[in-house]
Amino acid sequence: MNDKIALKTYLVKKSSILLLCASFVFLFLFLRARIWYLLDSDMSSEMILAKQLNEERAIFAKGWYYATELRLLYMPQVFRILFLFSDYWHFVRVYSTIIIHAMLLGSALCLSKRLDLGWRKAVLGMAVLTPVSMVYGEYVLVCPYYVPCIAISFFAMAMVLHLTAEPGNHVRAILTAASAALAFASSLIGPRQIVMFYFPAMMAAGLIALSDLIKKKKTLKKAFFDPAFSICLTNMFSAGIAYLINLFVLPDMYYFVHWTQIRLTGFNVRRFLNALAGLVNMLGFRRESGIAGIITDACVLAVTAG
């Protein structure tokens, strides 16, 4: 009986790995075959920026007006490397996109390893490479605008989980410094990563530490120096310093739109419903009737619940 279970687990694990590899290869072949028909002005803009960065030999371009925020850990940094080997734009875009997706896949697998998902990590990797919706397919797979933000969040979360379990030694000190450096670099361009990950992670770790304190599982000192909370607090401090530099130093050196005009407003039901609708649309929901609509709704609910 145990041999059958072991064999079944082995086959499932190997099958999931093969499907993961097939998903990655299919994505590469699709991009390579259809790149002529996947023209996008925003992607072209990022590639022009990469060329200018190479010409100026700089991290940020002084002769460029950044429409939203500065680009540091972003697509142009990958484009500019490929431009050193070829001036053929379709080649640069295809292979840069594949490299970016390899980073996304690596971050997902790294996080799933820390979550101890076993063979399911291949399923998670396959999921991030699957076009579950038109929105996800366009803005993540074909034009990987948001992949760097997603990958950074995955890597950062994996580092927090690893450091929480790591004993206090020099390895932990090095990884803590690396985690803080990633928080600094990703927040130097603007508050996007703070809003997406670092602030929510700090609040979640703080609430867990507070819960342990209330239940008297830990003293005040131990709760404050809880590994997860202290790491998230360090990351948030590093990210905050970077954002202050973004607000008060970089505007005098580069042209970009910053987020100082954004303000908190009162709760708005319509905006909340629009955000919720955007989430389920990204997961593949479509307003259909009949059996197709029921199947789509069931799939969205299953993915969300899972």
Side-chain angles (χ1 to χ4, degrees):
M1 185 67 178
N2 291 334
D3 292 340
K4 290 183 178 180
I5 295 175
L7 178 60
K8 182 179 179 180
T9 302
Y10 175 81
L11 292 175
V12 169
K13 180 180 178 180
K14 295 301 180 182
S15 299
S16 61
I17 293 175
L18 287 174
L19 288 173
L20 171 60
C21 295
S23 299
F24 192 81
V25 171
F26 176 81
L27 178 60
F28 167 69
L29 294 176
F30 171 78
L31 290 174
R32 186 179 178 186
R34 306 298 295 178
I35 195 64
W36 288 90
Y37 308 98
L38 298 173
L39 301 180
D40 185 271
S41 59
D42 288 339
M43 287 291 288
S44 299
S45 176
E46 300 291 343
M47 297 179 74
I48 294 171
L49 172 59
K51 291 282 287 185
Q52 185 160 336
L53 289 172
N54 280 349
E55 292 174 0
E56 296 185 10
R57 297 183 180 180
I59 298 176
F60 300 125
K62 288 191 174 182
W64 185 270
Y65 185 86
Y66 293 88
T68 52
E69 57 196 8
L70 293 168
R71 306 288 196 268
L72 182 56
L73 303 180
Y74 208 66
M75 292 185 295
Q77 304 303 330
V78 181
F79 291 150
R80 66 185 300 184
I81 296 174
L82 272 292
F83 271 127
L84 296 176
F85 300 95
S86 174
D87 285 327
Y88 184 42
W89 285 50
H90 287 315
F91 169 86
V92 171
R93 182 181 168 188
V94 170
Y95 285 92
S96 295
T97 302
I98 288 300
I99 291 172
I100 292 169
H101 284 310
M103 295 177 181
L104 173 63
L105 180 59
S107 68
L109 295 178
C110 185
L111 177 58
S112 62
K113 182 179 180 180
R114 298 312 311 170
L115 293 173
D116 196 22
L117 296 182
W119 62 267
R120 295 176 185 84
K121 63 186 177 184
V123 177
L124 175 61
M126 188 166 50
V128 299
L129 298 177
T130 302
V132 294
S133 67
M134 290 293 294
V135 176
Y136 188 86
E138 181 177 357
Y139 295 108
V140 176
L141 298 182
V142 175
C143 302
Y145 300 120
Y146 300 106
V147 169
C149 298
I150 299 170
I152 289 171
S153 298
F154 283 172
F155 274 126
M157 190 68 234
M159 294 180 75
V160 169
L161 294 175
H162 181 77
L163 288 168
T164 301
E166 183 74 23
N169 52 29
H170 64 282
V171 176
R172 180 175 178 176
I174 294 173
L175 291 176
T176 301
S179 180
L182 179 63
F184 183 90
S186 61
S187 303
L188 190 63
I189 64 172
R192 184 189 299 271
Q193 206 65 40
I194 296 175
V195 174
M196 282 181 55
F197 177 77
Y198 290 111
F199 183 73
M202 183 191 70
M203 292 299 294
L207 289 174
I208 293 173
L210 180 62
S211 175
D212 290 341
L213 178 64
I214 293 174
K215 294 177 181 178
K216 297 183 178 180
K217 292 182 179 181
K218 294 181 179 179
T219 63
L220 178 60
K221 182 178 179 180
K222 287 185 177 180
F224 183 79
F225 289 101
D226 174 80
F229 178 64
S230 60
I231 293 163
C232 290
L233 187 63
T234 301
N235 288 341
M236 185 61 208
F237 178 78
S238 179
I241 293 296
Y243 184 48
L244 289 176
I245 295 174
N246 175 273
L247 282 179
F248 300 109
V249 178
L250 296 182
D252 295 331
M253 303 170 62
Y254 305 101
Y255 301 100
F256 64 96
V257 175
H258 44 77
W259 293 29
T260 53
Q261 71 274 21
I262 296 177
R263 298 287 185 273
L264 293 175
T265 62
F267 180 77
N268 186 296
V269 176
R270 183 181 295 276
R271 290 178 181 174
F272 174 76
L273 292 177
N274 287 339
L276 187 61
L279 174 62
V280 296
N281 285 335
M282 187 268 294
L283 292 173
F285 173 80
R286 290 182 296 175
R287 295 183 179 278
E288 296 173 340
S289 58
I291 299 298
I294 295 173
I295 293 175
T296 303
D297 293 347
C299 290
V300 171
L301 289 173
V303 170
T304 307

